[in-house]
């Protein structure tokens, strides 16, 4: 099956990058010379979010097949669930960074899911909801199907 039109999500990603760049400049100007923890986070948060959006944008460049799009969705879901979960052994700074990343990628996961036709998703045999691709690099397609409601 052909890939859906990705222009709307690409335009949204571009607009979000510009928005975050402007926000970062405003925050840096507003907190110039202020080294307090809240000021530092106000300055750093837009940069962290922008890096996530730029990574998403890079992933979507050159997508030509539906399987590639499903693989990207699986990878984004993996990033959201595995890499950015709270880790009690990490510093509070790292956990805060991870929380920001998780919140930003969740937005783009939802937008990508909306672009993919429902016919591309498999239905769960237990609860009959749509299964989502889950990253699995052992497989040739680099993803397997998993029901988010059952597992």
């Amino acid at each position: 099956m052909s890939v859906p039109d990705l222009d709307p999500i690409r335009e949204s990603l571009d607009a979000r990058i510009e928005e975050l760049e402007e926000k970062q400049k405003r925050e840096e100007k507003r907190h110039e010379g202020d080294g307090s923890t809240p000021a530092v986070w106000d300055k750093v948060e837009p940069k962290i979010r922008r890096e996530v959006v730029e990574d998403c944008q890079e992933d979507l460049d050159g997508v030509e097949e539906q399987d590639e799009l499903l693989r990207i969705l699986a990878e984004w879901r993996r990033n959201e669930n595995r890499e950015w979960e709270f880790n009690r052994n990490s510093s509070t700074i790292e956990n805060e960074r991870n929380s920001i990343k998780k919140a930003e990628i969740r937005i783009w996961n939802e937008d990508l899911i909306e672009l993919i036709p429902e016919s591309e998703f498999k239905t769960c045999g237990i609860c009959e909801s749509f299964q989502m691709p889950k990253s699995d690099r052992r497989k040739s397609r680099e993803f397997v199907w998993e029901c988010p409601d059952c597992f």
Side-chain angles (χ1 to χ4, degrees), residues 34-46:
D34 185 358
S36 67
T37 301
V40 169
W41 279 112
D42 284 348
K43 292 187 274 187
V44 170
E45 181 183 355

Side-chain angles (χ1 to χ4, degrees), residues 2-3 10 17 20 36 39 50 64-66 71 75 94 101 103 105 115-118 120 123 125 130 137 144 146 148:
S2 66
V3 177
R10 286 186 176 126
I17 288 170
L20 291 168
S36 67
R50 192 180 75 237
E64 296 175 6
E65 294 180 14
Q66 189 72 33
R71 182 195 54 77
E75 192 69 22
E94 189 61 29
K101 289 177 180 180
I105 201 165
L115 281 178
I116 300 172
E118 288 183 4
E120 291 298 314
T123 305
F130 287 126
R137 294 191 176 117
V144 293
E146 171 187 77

Side-chain angles (χ1 to χ4, degrees), residues 128-144:
E128 298 184 7
S129 65
F130 287 126
Q131 293 181 335
M132 292 289 162
K134 176 184 174 187
S135 182
D136 188 345
R137 294 191 176 117
R138 298 172 294 176
K139 304 294 182 183
S140 62
R141 293 171 64 179
E142 296 187 20
F143 68 89
V144 293

Side-chain angles (χ1 to χ4, degrees), residues 55 59 70-85 98 101-102 105-106 109 113 132-138 142-144 146:
D55 288 345
D59 288 343
L70 292 170
R71 182 195 54 77
I72 289 169
L73 177 59
E75 192 69 22
W76 290 3
R77 290 184 69 238
R78 180 187 65 84
N79 289 343
E80 179 185 1
N81 293 326
R82 183 186 60 84
E83 290 180 339
W84 299 332
E85 62 188 20
N98 292 344
K101 289 177 180 180
K102 181 178 180 176
I105 201 165
R106 182 174 288 141
N109 268 343
I113 289 169
M132 292 289 162
K134 176 184 174 187
S135 182
D136 188 345
R137 294 191 176 117
R138 298 172 294 176
E142 296 187 20
F143 68 89
V144 293
E146 171 187 77

Side-chain angles (χ1 to χ4, degrees), residues 82-100:
R82 183 186 60 84
E83 290 180 339
W84 299 332
E85 62 188 20
F86 178 80
N87 185 347
R88 65 182 177 159
N89 296 326
S90 295
S91 68
T92 55
I93 293 170
E94 189 61 29
N95 282 328
E96 183 65 27
R97 289 177 62 89
N98 292 344
S99 175
I100 292 167

